[in-house]
Amino acid sequence: MEGVTEYQRIACFRLALHLKKAGLSQEMALICLRAWATKNRPTGGKRIITGDEIETQVRAAYQSTYRGCGCE
């Protein structure tokens, strides 16, 4: 997975949805997205997404039913 320079939380949520659709467990998605976050290089003085924020995004993706990923 490639890191991002902006919109980390949105990207994290969408990646979590893709991982869910691919059949990964919530725990495995957390592991993957924590590794992904280390590659992020935010611009404009933004900080890298935190572990707590990743957990929040993954939990939201796995607890709800979504038809799409919001990136159609």
Side-chain angles (χ1 to χ4, degrees), residues 8-40:
Q8 294 175 85
R9 284 131 205 95
I10 294 168
C12 184
F13 178 76
R14 289 180 178 168
L15 286 169
L17 286 176
H18 282 290
L19 294 173
K20 177 183 174 184
K21 286 182 173 188
L24 270 69
S25 69
Q26 187 171 341
E27 184 61 33
M28 186 57 83
L30 280 169
I31 292 167
C32 292
L33 291 169
R34 286 180 181 138
W36 163 82
T38 66
K39 299 173 187 262
N40 291 343

